[in-house]
Amino acid sequence: QVQLVESGGGLVQPGGSLRLSCTPSRVTFPTYIMSWYRQGPGKAREFVARISASGEEINYGESVKGRFTISRDNAKSTAYLQMNALKPEDTAVYYCNAYREIVGEAVLEYWGQGTQVTVSS
């Protein structure tokens, strides 16, 4: 069974930083697009960032551009989300997503259990 293990969430003051990690098990990590999404209290799930399998293509949601950085280490089978200059509105449960399309055959997609990030003084 595929599992995405997330870590790094917690409580941080406004302006602070956190780094989230996501390590999938039982997947060929270098073949998956890795993404982060978040869902704040009473809000819909929101796209945060995405990195291609090779790491060459990266996209960010508008609300985090310039503050968050997504990266991956294929040798360690881990994706990261470095979050700087955190704001109270960044408070949310952050979810890791692994996605792979095998053209003409299947789409494989998995989600982590979520990790809570709370930005508050």
Side-chain angles (χ1 to χ4, degrees):
Q1 184 176 356
V2 173
Q3 287 187 316
L4 274 61
V5 179
E6 300 155 341
S7 62
L11 173 64
V12 63
Q13 292 186 342
S17 298
L18 282 175
R19 188 177 81 158
L20 305 182
S21 299
C22 174
T23 303
S25 63
R26 298 189 175 90
V27 301
T28 308
F29 184 79
T31 64
Y32 281 76
I33 297 168
M34 299 300 297
S35 302
W36 291 93
Y37 289 77
R38 68 185 182 185
Q39 188 165 16
K43 299 181 181 180
R45 189 168 292 191
E46 174 189 17
F47 168 73
V48 175
R50 177 180 297 116
I51 186 167
S52 65
S54 66
E56 293 180 349
E57 295 182 28
I58 291 175
N59 303 100
Y60 294 100
E62 285 297 323
S63 60
V64 307
K65 280 183 179 178
R67 299 187 298 122
F68 290 13
T69 302
I70 189 171
S71 62
R72 65 190 297 157
D73 185 336
N74 284 348
K76 295 183 178 180
S77 297
T78 300
Y80 303 97
L81 184 68
Q82 178 66 43
M83 305 184 293
N84 298 330
L86 283 161
K87 306 174 182 180
E89 50 264 44
D90 295 317
T91 294
V93 178
Y94 284 71
Y95 296 92
C96 178
N97 173 277
Y99 179 93
R100 178 186 178 190
E101 182 176 352
I102 304 173
V103 178
E105 294 187 19
V107 170
L108 305 175
E109 185 171 24
Y110 306 100
W111 291 89
Q113 79 286 354
T115 186
Q116 177 70 46
V117 172
T118 302
V119 185
S120 175
S121 54

